[in-house]
Amino acid sequence: MMARWLPRSTDLTRFCQKLNRVKTLEDDMMETSFNRCLSTIDLTLLGIGGMVGSGLYVLTGTVAKEMAGPAVIVSFIIAGFASLLAALCYAEFGARVPKTGSAYMFTYVSVGEIWAFLIGWNVLLEYMIGGAAVARAWSGYLDSIFNHKIKNFTETHVGTWHVPFLAHYPDFLAAAILLVATAFISFGAKVSSWLNHMFSAISMGVILFILIMGFILAQPKNWSAQEGGFAPYGLSGIMAGTATCFYAFVGFDVIAASSEEARNPQRAVPRAIAFSLGLATGAYILVSVVLTLMVPWHTLDPDSALADAFYRRGYAWAGFLVAAGSICAMNTVLLSNLFSLPRIVYAMAEDGLFFRVFSRVHPRTQVPVVGIVVFGLLMALLALVFDLEALVQFLSIGTLLAYTFVAASIIVLRFQQQKGDVPAPAAGGRPSPEPHEGPSAGELKEYESFSDKLQLVGRDKSKEHREPGQLKASFEPYLEFLSDFYPGEVVTVAVVTLMVSAICLCSILVFGSTHLHLPTWSYSLLLVLFSLGFLLSLLLIWAHEQQHGTQTFQIPLVPLSPALSILLNIYLMLKLSYMTWLRFAIWLLLVPLWRHELRSPSTSLTLSGLLVYFGYGIWHSKENLREPREQRLSARYVVFPSGSLEERVQPVQPSAQPASLPDTGTATADGKR
């Protein structure tokens, strides 16, 4: 009796196929409901606004004082390189798929639906909590300028709360700035861009002032041995600083999210990402140089390093300029969050994975106004009543996870056949010519068995054109057993193996000698084994053909560049604290831990997210609507006179009406595919 209620294997297979189906792209990807009005300069300033925020005024001093000393410069250089690898992956996807959605869209078109939804949901919540946290920081910074009069007034006339995960008092100023920013964002992309230009110009002017005054006041003795030297915490301090500095560059994905509103995304998106990342990296490095040269690094104030440095050098008035620059920088980060979030929601709703109401675009402003208003209000509510410090700690995992999936998606997509290619049955297969080659092509021949098809595949391999995902001809004598796999199948398995090897390798590097207490021989052995697994997976991917000659930007040195990005992202994720991972597990896996100190509103947010997908998205997905009804299929292997092969699949007619066959003089075998 119990067996009757168990799902059949075919049902489980079909369900897994639903979870891993990929998005079908339109023929004309430039067609959009949005207004393509953003230039390369607009996108570049959006990226700079997302990256050069309050971190420039706070993060530099914190890392220099507590982690790396003056070697914070090296930390920013390494972090900039790691960000460059991830940014190049975003640049290729943004140029090839000029649609809004950023990491969600890139994962959907190459990896699968469930993974895309998880990435999209985490990025969505990251923007919400991150934007609310910036608003509270903006409010606190402005309040400190007026000697905390706003805070004191609120606590006196409104009251205070003593509830876990709620703020000590309601922050009306933070909620108000978010509502004002939401109103401006809803006016359209051009208004948002103009507002971002204004704040970015002020912020860059302040940065230029800091650099000029800083180099004038620089004292090289602050890097001398008497003050602790250039790298007082050694290599470990530099790498710990790198893990923190990496999060200063997470704002460049706003450019990819805006690609559907770019005039020429194929050129503008890669250029804007490169320009904005280069300028942001240069700004962080130069500000770190002048900050550690102005005053000794060990005397820095982590909360307001730049303002305090000018004050101690006798330029207290410069602190007001620094404060103005910091507020403008936080405004650009707010705009970046509010600009990107509704567009990711729109992409998910447009694909049917989220409620369709969020895919509505205002006919005049040409922006997803419903998503902007609803999520702007939710962000304002978070900033008003929640204590966001505990939640902000694990947002970095979501960002690094998105970067990792985008890098893996680049490898998978690069070794897939381009749209319109005829898939070859094996690595040695040749693309089939069109069936309408005219009378001179001769009569078609049909072969009814799969063994006949395999015999034909081996003809004249040296002269065959190999499609992306097929084994390279030079490797076939050594890896002939891989020739029977479908193009791209081996690459997909190798990418999974590469990621598993990277996780194991980084785990040994991070925890091997500390938490695991491995002896030297086992530590070295495991490092060698997992390094070999990583390198062999990389070699196996490289042994296959990839796409060439596309008209859009392509990241160089594939699969090496994305593989290095995956390795660095996983390493940085494992460098985070265990409490951060525990909170992320609650977020993602719905582990119901009800201990008082672990209770978090993120659990209910995740639950609602998975309920949205399994209760709504999986059934209303556009890809689900495209799937044909279950039916019997007939497979025919058609061989043309030129020796090429084509597999044809068609529905089988009911038994009362046998399917008519083309007059080729041969029979075909019907069966289920």
Coordinates of all heavy atoms in Angstrom, one line a residue, residues 23 34 99-102 104-105 108 260 341-354 358-359:
K23 N 16.9 29.1 -18.9 CA 16.1 30.1 -19.5 C 16.3 30.2 -21.0 O 17.5 30.1 -21.5 CB 16.4 31.5 -19.0 CG 15.6 32.7 -19.6 CD 15.9 34.0 -18.9 CE 15.3 35.2 -19.7 NZ 13.8 35.1 -19.7
F34 N 12.0 48.7 -21.1 CA 12.7 49.8 -20.5 C 13.2 50.9 -21.5 O 13.1 50.7 -22.7 CB 14.0 49.3 -19.7 CG 13.6 48.5 -18.5 CD1 14.3 47.4 -18.1 CD2 12.5 48.9 -17.7 CE1 14.0 46.7 -17.0 CE2 12.2 48.1 -16.5 CZ 12.9 47.0 -16.2
K99 N 20.2 41.9 -20.5 CA 19.0 41.9 -19.8 C 19.2 42.2 -18.4 O 20.2 41.8 -17.8 CB 18.2 40.6 -20.0 CG 17.8 40.2 -21.4 CD 16.7 41.2 -21.8 CE 16.1 40.8 -23.2 NZ 15.1 41.8 -23.6
T100 N 18.2 42.8 -17.7 CA 18.4 43.1 -16.3 C 18.3 41.8 -15.5 O 17.7 40.8 -16.0 CB 17.3 44.1 -15.9 OG1 17.6 44.6 -14.6 CG2 15.9 43.5 -15.9
G101 N 18.8 41.8 -14.3 CA 18.7 40.7 -13.5 C 20.1 40.3 -12.9 O 20.2 39.5 -11.9
S102 N 21.2 40.7 -13.5 CA 22.5 40.5 -13.0 C 22.8 39.0 -12.7 O 22.5 38.2 -13.6 CB 22.7 41.4 -11.7 OG 24.1 41.4 -11.3
Y104 N 21.4 36.7 -11.1 CA 20.2 35.9 -11.3 C 20.0 35.5 -12.7 O 19.9 34.3 -13.0 CB 18.9 36.6 -10.8 CG 17.7 36.0 -11.4 CD1 17.1 34.8 -11.0 CD2 17.0 36.7 -12.4 CE1 15.9 34.4 -11.6 CE2 15.9 36.3 -13.0 CZ 15.4 35.1 -12.6 OH 14.2 34.6 -13.2
M105 N 20.0 36.4 -13.6 CA 19.9 36.1 -15.0 C 21.0 35.3 -15.6 O 20.8 34.3 -16.4 CB 19.8 37.5 -15.8 CG 19.6 37.3 -17.3 SD 18.1 36.5 -17.8 CE 16.9 37.8 -17.3
Y108 N 20.6 31.8 -14.5 CA 19.4 31.1 -15.2 C 19.7 30.7 -16.6 O 19.2 29.6 -17.0 CB 18.2 32.1 -15.1 CG 16.9 31.5 -15.3 CD1 15.7 32.3 -15.2 CD2 16.7 30.1 -15.4 CE1 14.4 31.8 -15.3 CE2 15.4 29.6 -15.6 CZ 14.3 30.4 -15.5 OH 13.0 29.9 -15.6
E260 N 20.0 46.4 -19.4 CA 18.8 46.5 -20.3 C 18.4 48.0 -20.5 O 17.5 48.2 -21.3 CB 17.6 45.8 -19.6 CG 16.5 45.5 -20.6 CD 15.5 44.4 -20.1 OE1 15.9 43.6 -19.2 OE2 14.4 44.3 -20.6
L341 N 17.7 46.8 -7.0 CA 16.8 45.8 -6.4 C 15.5 45.6 -7.2 O 15.2 44.5 -7.5 CB 16.5 46.3 -5.0 CG 15.8 45.3 -4.1 CD1 16.2 45.5 -2.6 CD2 14.3 45.5 -4.2
P342 N 14.8 46.7 -7.6 CA 13.5 46.5 -8.3 C 13.8 45.8 -9.7 O 12.9 45.1 -10.2 CB 13.0 47.9 -8.5 CG 13.7 48.7 -7.5 CD 15.0 48.1 -7.3
R343 N 14.9 46.0 -10.3 CA 15.2 45.4 -11.6 C 15.4 43.9 -11.5 O 15.1 43.2 -12.4 CB 16.3 46.2 -12.2 CG 15.9 47.5 -12.8 CD 17.0 48.6 -12.8 NE 16.6 49.8 -13.4 CZ 15.9 50.7 -12.8 NH1 15.6 50.6 -11.5 NH2 15.5 51.8 -13.4
I344 N 16.1 43.5 -10.4 CA 16.2 42.1 -10.2 C 14.8 41.4 -9.9 O 14.5 40.3 -10.4 CB 17.2 41.8 -9.0 CG1 18.6 42.3 -9.4 CG2 17.2 40.3 -8.7 CD1 19.6 42.2 -8.3
V345 N 14.0 42.1 -9.1 CA 12.7 41.6 -8.8 C 11.9 41.6 -10.2 O 11.1 40.6 -10.4 CB 12.0 42.5 -7.8 CG1 10.5 42.1 -7.6 CG2 12.7 42.5 -6.5
Y346 N 12.0 42.6 -11.0 CA 11.4 42.6 -12.3 C 11.8 41.4 -13.2 O 10.9 40.8 -13.8 CB 11.7 43.9 -13.0 CG 11.4 43.9 -14.5 CD1 10.1 44.2 -14.9 CD2 12.3 43.6 -15.4 CE1 9.8 44.1 -16.3 CE2 12.0 43.5 -16.8 CZ 10.8 43.8 -17.2 OH 10.5 43.8 -18.6
A347 N 13.1 41.1 -13.2 CA 13.6 40.0 -14.0 C 13.0 38.7 -13.5 O 12.5 37.8 -14.3 CB 15.1 39.9 -14.0
M348 N 12.9 38.5 -12.2 CA 12.3 37.3 -11.7 C 10.8 37.2 -12.0 O 10.3 36.1 -12.3 CB 12.6 37.2 -10.2 CG 14.1 37.1 -9.8 SD 14.4 37.2 -8.0 CE 13.7 35.6 -7.5
A349 N 10.1 38.3 -11.8 CA 8.7 38.3 -12.1 C 8.4 38.1 -13.6 O 7.5 37.5 -14.0 CB 8.1 39.6 -11.6
E350 N 9.2 38.7 -14.5 CA 9.1 38.6 -15.9 C 9.3 37.1 -16.3 O 8.6 36.7 -17.3 CB 10.1 39.5 -16.6 CG 10.0 39.5 -18.1 CD 8.7 40.1 -18.7 OE1 8.0 40.8 -17.9 OE2 8.4 39.9 -19.9
D351 N 10.1 36.4 -15.6 CA 10.3 35.0 -15.9 C 9.3 34.1 -15.3 O 9.3 32.9 -15.5 CB 11.7 34.5 -15.5 CG 12.8 35.2 -16.3 OD1 12.5 35.5 -17.5 OD2 13.9 35.4 -15.8
G352 N 8.4 34.7 -14.5 CA 7.3 33.9 -13.8 C 7.7 33.3 -12.5 O 6.9 32.6 -11.9
L353 N 8.9 33.5 -12.0 CA 9.4 33.0 -10.7 C 8.9 33.8 -9.6 O 9.0 33.3 -8.4 CB 10.9 32.8 -10.7 CG 11.5 32.0 -11.8 CD1 13.0 31.8 -11.6 CD2 10.9 30.6 -11.9
F354 N 8.5 35.0 -9.8 CA 8.0 35.9 -8.7 C 6.6 36.4 -9.2 O 6.2 36.3 -10.4 CB 9.0 37.0 -8.4 CG 8.9 37.6 -7.1 CD1 9.0 36.7 -6.0 CD2 8.7 38.9 -6.9 CE1 8.9 37.3 -4.7 CE2 8.6 39.5 -5.6 CZ 8.7 38.6 -4.5
F358 N 5.0 42.5 -10.2 CA 6.2 43.2 -10.1 C 6.9 43.3 -11.5 O 8.0 43.9 -11.6 CB 7.2 42.5 -9.2 CG 6.7 42.6 -7.7 CD1 6.2 41.5 -7.1 CD2 6.8 43.8 -7.0 CE1 5.8 41.6 -5.8 CE2 6.4 43.9 -5.7 CZ 5.9 42.8 -5.1
S359 N 6.3 42.8 -12.5 CA 6.9 42.9 -13.9 C 6.3 44.0 -14.7 O 6.6 44.2 -15.8 CB 6.7 41.6 -14.7 OG 5.3 41.3 -14.9

